């Protein structure tokens, strides 16, 4: 599953803007703008962006009600609740999130009070498809609170698997990092995530980035500096562990089944040693005898495999909730298991039949 962003060559970390150092939203906003300019100028940095939330991050995204102009809420119903991410325009380039339609919002502008009215927003494809089935989200207007002014959708970007790779893409509204609240007051986050994109190993940028930020804001707390690839791996840790356990259990089950089939068929073929001796004494060719024994064993095993597949089709429905993009009746999985068991049956019949056909007919007839 593609997460919707390019995790390679991307370094992420979080920065806390303490209210003691940045008491007002304008102070925090000015620091954010200053950091972006400094990071963009750092050698080796292709793009730098800041957001309040990163996809697949353990920290939950902020959710907000979204009102759509021209789509009134029915009586007794609630507006849609969607992820809301405050970001700078460089965030999309740093994450390599594709632009689907329209444009990005403008870079943050810090005025005397930093109260940049919310006029433009960007939404994800999932959000656009939810409210405008035939497209055409560009130019439509939304707002977060009933008394807010309407904000215009100026761009649509690619979807992200924000809540997990096993979850469908989230419907997201991206808002400029420095904006105004419903009351018109300035607002800016005090805890943000930074993403840096590099053409080389992103870990090599850790030291230069730290030096840049030290010069920009010496007392700025920096934490959780990890490559975005690690974020993806960590998000998959639970699923990977479960798949590993299920894989071990499945391998053991297959090994036990194959061992049982091999032992039973090899024993049954060994009981036919006298029969094989009689056939050889009557002039049968050893290769023909071996083929006959193997054919009979594989036929018996095939009957059991067919019965097992029928049982599997009935029982594996309980696994449907644990599967992602795979049917409980996956033909490749069931076919591979059937081939392994049939090949085991053939080998179990062929080896003792081969030994018996190499014996002298008189010795084979004397064997019990």
């Amino acid at each position: 599953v593609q997460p919707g962003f390019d995790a390679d060559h991307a370094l992420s970390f979080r920065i806390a803007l303490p209210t003691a150092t940045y008491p007002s939203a304008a102070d925090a906003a000015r620091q954010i703008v200053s950091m972006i300019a400094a990071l963009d100028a750092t050698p080796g940095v292709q793009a730098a962006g800041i957001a309040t939330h990163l996809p697949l991050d353990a920290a939950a995204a902020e959710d907000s009600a979204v009102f759509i102009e021209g789509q009134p809420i029915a009586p007794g119903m609630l507006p849609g609740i969607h992820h809301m991410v405050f970001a700078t325009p460089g965030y999309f380039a740093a994450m390599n999130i594709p632009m689907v339609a329209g444009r990005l919002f403008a870079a943050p502008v810090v005025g005397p009070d930093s109260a940049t009215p919310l006029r433009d927003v960007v939404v994800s494809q999932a959000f656009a498809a939810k409210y405008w089935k035939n497209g055409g989200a560009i130019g439509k207007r939304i707002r977060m609170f009933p008394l807010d002014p309407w904000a215009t959708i100026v761009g649509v970007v690619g979807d992200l698997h924000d809540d997990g790779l096993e979850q469908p893409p989230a419907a997201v509204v991206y808002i400029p990092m420095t904006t105004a609240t419903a009351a018109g007051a300035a607002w800016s986050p005090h805890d943000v995530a930074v993403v840096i994109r590099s053409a080389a190993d992103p870990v090599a940028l850790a030291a230069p980035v730290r030096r840049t930020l030290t010069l920009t804001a010496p007392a700025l707390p920096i934490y959780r500096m990890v490559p975005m690839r690690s974020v993806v791996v960590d998000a998959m840790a639970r699923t990977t562990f479960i798949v590993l356990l299920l894989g071990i259990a499945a391998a053991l089950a297959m090994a036990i089944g194959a061992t049982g089939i091999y032992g039973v068929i090899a024993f049954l073929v060994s009981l036919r040693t006298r029969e094989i001796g009689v056939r050889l004494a009557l002039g049968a060719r050893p290769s023909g005898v071996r083929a006959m024994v193997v054919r009979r064993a594989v036929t018996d095993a095939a009957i059991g495999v067919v019965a097992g597949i029928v049982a599997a089709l009935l029982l594996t429905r309980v696994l449907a909730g644990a599967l992602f993009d795979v049917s409980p009746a996956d033909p490749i999985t069931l076919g591979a298991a059937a081939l392994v068991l049939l090949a085991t049956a053939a080998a179990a019949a062929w080896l003792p039949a081969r030994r018996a056909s190499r014996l002298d007919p008189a010795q084979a007839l004397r064997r019990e």
Side-chain angles (χ1 to χ4, degrees):
V1 176
Q2 298 300 321
F5 60 91
D6 184 6
D8 297 325
H9 306 298
L11 179 71
S12 69
F13 55 92
R14 296 198 72 90
I15 292 179
L17 301 169
T19 53
T21 308
Y22 307 95
S24 69
D27 295 329
R30 276 191 287 269
Q31 185 58 69
I32 289 174
V33 173
S34 176
M35 284 191 301
I36 286 294
L39 291 172
D40 280 333
T42 302
V45 174
Q46 290 184 326
I50 296 180
T52 52
H53 173 73
L54 294 181
L56 301 179
D57 196 356
E62 296 183 28
D63 291 340
S64 173
V66 178
F67 297 85
I68 312 296
E69 186 180 32
Q71 298 186 22
I73 307 299
M77 301 299 292
L78 295 175
I81 306 297
H82 301 292
H83 290 348
M84 180 176 58
V85 177
F86 291 83
T88 63
Y91 167 76
F92 301 96
M95 292 288 286
N96 204 9
I97 300 174
M99 196 78 203
V100 177
R103 60 174 177 83
L104 297 176
F105 39 66
V109 177
V110 182
D113 59 356
S114 184
T116 303
L118 177 57
R119 296 190 179 95
D120 300 338
V121 295
V122 172
V123 299
S124 66
Q125 281 182 287
F127 184 92
K130 179 177 178 62
Y131 292 102
W132 298 279
K133 303 298 183 183
N134 298 322
I138 303 299
K140 300 297 191 296
R141 301 200 300 176
I142 64 174
R143 60 186 175 188
M144 310 305 164
F145 298 96
L147 299 181
D148 273 359
W150 293 104
T152 303
I153 298 175
V154 297
V156 178
V157 296
D159 284 332
L160 301 177
H161 288 270
D162 197 1
D163 301 319
L165 294 180
E166 73 281 3
Q167 299 295 328
V172 185
V173 177
Y174 297 96
I175 301 173
M177 178 65 73
T178 306
T179 185
T181 64
W187 183 89
S188 188
H190 284 265
D191 184 31
V192 295
V194 183
V195 182
I196 305 294
R197 176 156 297 279
S198 169
D201 182 7
V203 178
L205 278 178
V209 165
R210 285 186 180 275
R211 286 195 297 268
T212 297
L213 294 177
T214 299
L215 295 175
T216 306
L220 206 62
I222 303 172
Y223 62 102
R224 289 176 61 186
M225 181 176 283
V226 293
M228 281 303 298
R229 177 55 60 189
S230 297
V231 175
V232 176
V233 172
D234 291 344
M236 286 293 296
R238 179 176 177 272
T239 302
T240 301
F241 180 70
I242 293 175
V243 169
L244 177 63
L245 291 181
L246 289 176
I248 293 174
L252 288 175
M254 180 62 73
I256 292 172
T259 302
I261 288 178
Y262 185 93
V264 170
I265 291 183
F267 174 72
L268 293 177
V269 173
S270 67
L271 296 180
R272 301 178 63 185
T273 301
R274 288 174 58 84
E275 174 193 343
I276 292 174
V278 171
R279 292 180 181 276
L280 294 176
L282 294 177
R285 298 178 59 184
S287 59
V289 173
R290 290 194 294 269
M292 177 200 67
V293 173
V294 171
R295 186 166 52 250
R296 174 62 185 274
V298 171
T299 300
D300 292 343
I303 295 173
V305 167
V306 170
I309 290 178
V310 172
L313 293 175
L314 297 176
L315 296 176
T316 52
R317 297 181 185 276
V318 300
L319 293 176
L323 301 177
F324 181 76
D325 280 357
V326 177
S327 167
D330 180 52
I332 297 178
T333 302
L334 295 177
L339 288 177
V340 169
L341 296 179
L342 291 176
T344 301
W350 186 80
L351 291 175
R354 177 173 173 268
R355 287 194 299 268
S357 64
R358 287 185 172 184
L359 293 176
D360 181 76
Q363 293 179 346
L365 290 172
R366 286 196 297 268
R367 293 191 60 172
E368 294 295 335

